[in-house]
Amino acid sequence: MNTQPQKIAIVTGANNGIGFETAAGMAEAGYHVVMACRSLAKAEAARDELIAKLPSASLDIILLDLGDFSSVQRFAEDFRARYEKLDVLINNAGILLYSAQTNGGGIELQFATNHLGHFLLTALLIDLMPDDPASRIVALSSLGHKGASIHFDDLTCGGDGGIAYGQSKLACLLFGDELDRRLRASGRKIKALSVHPGGSDSGLFTDMSDAQRSKLKAQVEQFLHSNASAAKPALHAALSPDVKGGDYYGPTGAQEMSGEVGHATRDPITGDLDVAGRLWSVSEELTGKTFSL
């Protein structure tokens, strides 16, 4: 059991892109960072790179495939065997697909990875979090949540990967909001917040073909900012003493693609409490985990 007094953070998808920069920012802030990654080789390479940049960084690696719920369960068990507490959970990892894919349980893979895996991970670890305003759960949404909806009758979205991606990122934002409401209702001081990174050439693009990647970058390249800048909303939500539970942060520049961090705009559907409640129930059903606060 790791009993060091240092504050502990988990960053999912910490081996590249925005997750890598988020892990770097949390380590620089003095946190012991658990890098939750699918690939051990990529995670070890990222850890070595982080230590080269920040020799004082305190890092650990635990394997996690968010699309595989048994992997999420193993991660939680491994984390609990190593650590007695968790101060910050940054649910960063995500995939972007342009074809219909499902996980081993037949669930649309983006919905399973981007939302359900993080829902389950949070449910399995939230009891380790001190009941303190500095304890944070940060959900990574996206500008892609705008105009999306939760297709409760067909979560595969008819096999349309783009629509399914928007659905998954809307689910991330709805989950962050609903979690904070439930934390407040239970009298807890832990804060749940949501963010979006704006536009960046992050690891999401690696799942595209070369032609798809080139086309998308040509369309948005003028708006893109660095992964280090794209990580700032998550770091703000995780570290700032001034944030409020339920807040949603992102870049405030043109089209919210880049710029200084501030309150981000939401799709009106995020205010529909019936949708948020139904998503919560469906998420418990699909993960097989009742979320206890």
Side-chain angles (χ1 to χ4, degrees):
M1 180 73 71
N2 189 320
T3 59
Q4 61 180 322
Q6 191 172 14
K7 287 190 174 183
I8 299 168
I10 293 172
V11 179
T12 66
N15 61 278
N16 68 356
I18 298 167
F20 177 87
E21 297 295 345
T22 302
M26 294 302 291
E28 191 169 11
Y31 281 73
H32 173 74
V33 179
V34 176
M35 305 170 69
C37 307
R38 283 184 294 178
S39 165
L40 180 59
K42 291 180 180 179
E44 288 177 337
R47 180 189 59 193
D48 292 346
E49 184 178 350
L50 277 171
I51 290 174
K53 291 174 58 176
L54 187 67
S56 63
S58 179
L59 306 169
D60 190 10
I61 295 169
I62 303 179
L63 291 180
L64 173 65
D65 180 351
L66 287 157
D68 178 350
F69 300 154
S70 62
S71 174
V72 179
Q73 182 71 49
R74 288 193 298 273
F75 176 94
E77 292 169 355
D78 199 350
F79 182 88
R80 298 178 82 95
R82 301 186 196 190
Y83 303 100
E84 297 176 337
K85 67 165 186 169
L86 171 63
D87 296 285
V88 174
L89 172 59
I90 301 181
N91 291 324
N92 163 84
I95 58 172
L96 171 60
L97 304 173
Y98 279 82
S99 58
Q101 297 185 38
T102 58
N103 71 356
I107 302 170
E108 197 281 322
L109 190 55
Q110 294 174 107
F111 191 73
T113 301
N114 300 351
H115 167 59
L116 290 175
H118 284 128
F119 179 94
L120 178 58
L121 179 65
T122 306
L124 291 169
L125 295 178
I126 194 168
D127 65 299
L128 294 181
M129 301 188 77
D131 191 25
D132 185 285
S135 295
R136 308 286 170 84
I137 299 164
V138 181
L140 268 286
S141 184
S142 164
L143 289 169
H145 90 276
K146 295 182 179 180
S149 59
I150 307 298
H151 298 255
F152 290 108
D153 295 332
D154 178 17
L155 291 172
T156 68
C157 300
D160 188 311
I163 293 176
Y165 177 76
Q167 170 183 253
S168 73
K169 286 302 181 177
L170 172 59
C172 292
L173 182 47
L174 288 168
F175 170 48
D177 288 349
E178 182 68 10
L179 176 57
D180 195 74
R181 283 191 290 268
R182 293 182 182 229
L183 285 166
R184 300 287 78 72
S186 65
R188 304 287 291 280
K189 298 176 183 178
I190 300 168
K191 295 178 181 179
L193 308 99
S194 302
V195 302
H196 78 82
S200 68
D201 188 359
S202 69
L204 285 177
F205 294 151
T206 60
D207 288 309
M208 299 180 185
S209 67
D210 290 341
Q212 288 169 335
R213 188 182 307 110
S214 297
K215 181 179 179 180
L216 181 60
K217 288 185 68 175
Q219 292 172 341
V220 303
E221 195 156 22
Q222 62 178 313
F223 301 109
L224 298 180
H225 57 169
S226 68
N227 287 320
S229 293
K232 288 181 179 179
L235 291 170
H236 177 75
L239 299 172
S240 173
D242 301 323
V243 299
K244 296 179 181 179
D247 280 350
Y248 178 47
Y249 293 101
T252 57
Q255 300 184 46
E256 296 188 352
M257 295 286 280
S258 62
E260 296 298 316
V261 176
H263 289 281
T265 59
R266 303 161 167 268
D267 191 285
I269 194 174
T270 61
D272 191 325
L273 301 188
D274 290 336
V275 172
R278 186 178 179 187
L279 175 64
W280 188 282
S281 296
V282 168
S283 300
E284 288 186 325
E285 178 183 348
L286 292 176
T287 60
K289 173 65 176 176
T290 299
F291 205 119
S292 300
L293 294 176

